[in-house]
Amino acid sequence: MPQTTDIPQDAQYPVLTYLQRLLDGTLNGDDAIHMRYPTAISQFLGFRIVEVGEALAVIELNTHPEIHGNQQGTVHGGLLCELADAAIGTAHSTLMGEGETFTSIDLKATFLRPVWNARLLARAWATHRGRTVSHYQCDIQREDGKVVARVDSAVMTLRGEHARGR
């Protein structure tokens, strides 16, 4: 694994740097941040980060109706909301400093097309970056480029006592 000389091996990286190094395969075994990546829910559901930038993230999921289906046999809308929430949370986490965390304060989903077996990409980006409340949009696309859902969310940054233990 390539190592850099400008960052000590036991360094606590900014979240964005950590995620970029995670994607390009240059993390060391003792590299750390104050957040958990990959998250437990993302591992359980099979989400994969495929792109990350400042206030931007793209998460990938291969869907299967036998695993992710609803009563009609299409992918459950709740899974699409969770995928969007993961992309939005990852995008917002790139802005967090030491001692800061965040929480979603709302989420609005618009479902545009059904999904069965598909490779989905959830692309989330900030539409407004505030000191405390930021707004995000997430488009979930199938491999044919068609948007299957659009999700808007507000995220609150927590600091100090409000961030402890979260």
Side-chain angles (χ1 to χ4, degrees):
M1 226 181 266
Q3 294 192 7
T4 61
T5 56
D6 56 340
I7 300 175
Q9 280 191 314
D10 61 348
Q12 183 96 5
Y13 294 111
V15 176
L16 178 56
T17 302
Y18 180 90
L19 292 175
Q20 288 170 330
R21 290 176 60 101
L22 177 70
L23 284 178
D24 68 19
T26 59
L27 280 180
N28 298 312
D30 55 354
D31 290 339
I33 57 172
H34 68 288
M35 296 187 165
R36 296 181 182 130
Y37 280 99
T39 65
I41 190 70
S42 292
Q43 288 181 306
F44 179 73
L45 294 173
F47 298 169
R48 295 169 302 282
I49 301 171
V50 295
E51 183 182 338
V52 68
E54 189 174 298
L56 173 117
V58 180
I59 307 285
E60 175 184 62
L61 173 67
N62 292 319
T63 62
H64 307 282
E66 329 56 73
I67 299 169
H68 306 113
N70 60 21
Q71 303 89 324
Q72 292 80 30
T74 59
V75 170
H76 195 283
L79 179 71
L80 299 178
C81 288
E82 179 57 37
L83 178 60
D85 191 56
I88 291 164
T90 301
H92 194 67
S93 74
T94 66
L95 305 175
M96 297 297 96
E98 184 66 33
E100 294 180 326
T101 62
F102 60 93
T103 188
S104 298
I105 56 177
D106 75 2
L107 186 127
K108 177 189 179 270
T110 303
F111 303 108
L112 304 169
R113 306 186 155 73
V115 177
W116 292 273
N117 289 307
R119 177 178 170 262
L120 299 178
L121 290 175
R123 175 177 295 277
W125 66 95
T127 58
H128 168 79
R129 289 169 53 177
R131 175 164 160 68
T132 302
V133 177
S134 296
H135 295 266
Y136 285 83
Q137 182 174 317
C138 180
D139 284 349
I140 302 174
Q141 293 181 311
R142 297 186 307 215
E143 60 271 350
D144 64 5
K146 293 189 177 182
V147 176
V148 299
R150 174 162 288 155
V151 177
D152 296 294
S153 182
V155 179
M156 179 183 291
T157 299
L158 305 171
R159 295 176 184 86
E161 184 61 34
H162 298 291
R164 276 193 242 306
R166 295 186 62 139

